[in-house]
Amino acid sequence: MSKYDPLWQYFSNTQNALVDLSFDDIKQILGFSIDHSFLNYKKELESYGYKVKKIHLKDKYIEFEKISI
């Protein structure tokens, strides 16, 4: 079990090809702010059919993209 499971479950319930989530949106889903460890865990998302497309540090949001598995 990963500390990011609530976020990965969010992607289990969406069908959008592209998803943009602000850092605040992610904090609301997880109950805590993402930190540098997110970079180590983001590969887990692929088993839910998505990948991290781009992390926008300046604007504080992350682009996620649906992949075919």
Side-chain angles (χ1 to χ4, degrees):
M1 184 168 160
S2 165
K3 69 180 188 176
Y4 290 98
D5 280 346
L7 182 59
W8 307 156
Q9 289 300 318
Y10 172 88
F11 286 97
S12 293
N13 299 319
T14 188
Q15 296 299 315
N16 299 334
L18 294 172
V19 177
D20 291 345
L21 292 175
S22 71
F23 287 7
D24 287 338
D25 293 336
I26 295 169
K27 181 178 181 178
Q28 197 168 33
I29 294 167
L30 291 173
F32 60 89
S33 298
I34 61 169
D35 57 22
H36 191 67
S37 72
F38 177 77
L39 299 174
N40 295 323
Y41 286 92
K42 68 180 185 174
K43 285 250 203 234
E44 295 176 355
L45 181 57
E46 292 179 8
S47 63
Y48 293 88
Y50 282 85
K51 69 176 183 175
V52 172
K53 183 176 179 185
K54 187 166 184 181
I55 300 173
H56 299 267
L57 293 176
K58 182 180 177 186
D59 296 321
K60 297 183 179 182
Y61 76 96
I62 301 175
E63 289 180 58
F64 299 91
E65 182 176 46
K66 191 165 188 67
I67 57 173
S68 48
I69 47 176

